[in-house]
Amino acid sequence: KVLLVDDSKFLRMANERALSKAGFEVSTAADGEEALQVAKDQLPDIILLDMLLPKLSGPEVLKALKGNPATMHIPVIVLTSLSQKNEEKLLSEGAAAYFEKSTLELDKSSDRLVATVETVLDRTNRQKNLNLRLQGLAKKKATDD
């Protein structure tokens, strides 16, 4: 399940179509407040978050998501049309990836976005599996002692 947050109806619809075509179940939100509500209600597997949003900005939404125990584990891919000078700061604040969106060559951009979502989800699943194995080993060691 993907939550796509973008105030641009055109980009939201185009990316929703590309993600759905790739087999993802997509929910959308058009502003920061709606994004937080949908994230809390649906607990998606990943969130695609535009940075320039009405009501609550993308950075405010990211901070709220990472500060809430119910949503802090959900990987967030930051979507922005701004330069990548903010990338390091956003990654340090909890974003899983940074994606520079473009209305030019929208088909290529949508394909890259789908690939980025798949990569982040794969990385997240591998980390979850590793954590589960480590927990299992720790429990086994505790019972062996």
Side-chain angles (χ1 to χ4, degrees):
K1 291 191 300 189
V2 176
L3 171 56
L4 173 61
V5 185
D6 199 320
D7 61 326
S8 166
K9 185 175 182 177
F10 174 74
L11 288 175
R12 195 172 59 245
M13 289 174 58
N15 288 325
E16 179 181 11
R17 190 175 319 114
L19 290 161
S20 294
K21 187 176 172 184
F24 293 101
E25 178 184 324
V26 183
S27 299
T28 62
D31 64 60
E33 288 177 359
E34 184 182 10
L36 289 176
Q37 189 62 51
V38 174
K40 190 175 77 172
D41 292 346
Q42 297 185 6
L43 297 175
D45 298 307
I46 193 165
I47 298 171
L48 307 177
L49 179 63
D50 185 16
M51 288 289 96
L52 298 175
L53 294 170
K55 298 186 181 178
L56 286 174
S57 70
E60 290 172 315
V61 173
L62 179 62
K63 184 176 181 179
L65 289 167
K66 295 305 170 182
N68 181 338
T71 57
M72 68 187 333
H73 68 283
I74 301 171
V76 177
I77 298 175
V78 169
L79 304 176
T80 185
S81 52
L82 303 173
S83 71
Q84 290 190 340
K85 66 182 178 183
N86 295 324
E87 180 177 8
E88 191 173 312
K89 181 178 187 288
L90 292 166
L91 293 174
S92 73
E93 292 174 352
Y98 184 97
F99 187 85
E100 195 166 337
K101 63 183 183 173
S102 171
T103 53
L104 303 172
E105 300 184 47
L106 189 59
D107 289 342
K108 288 182 184 175
S109 179
S110 292
D111 289 345
R112 284 191 350 261
L113 181 61
V114 168
T116 301
V117 168
E118 290 171 342
T119 299
V120 170
L121 283 173
D122 184 53
R123 185 174 62 215
T124 301
N125 287 333
R126 281 197 317 262
Q127 186 63 49
K128 283 180 189 174
N129 289 337
L130 177 61
N131 290 343
L132 288 172
R133 283 197 300 264
L134 291 174
Q135 288 172 359
L137 289 173
K139 286 179 185 175
K140 183 177 182 332
K141 184 176 181 346
T143 58
D144 289 349
D145 290 343

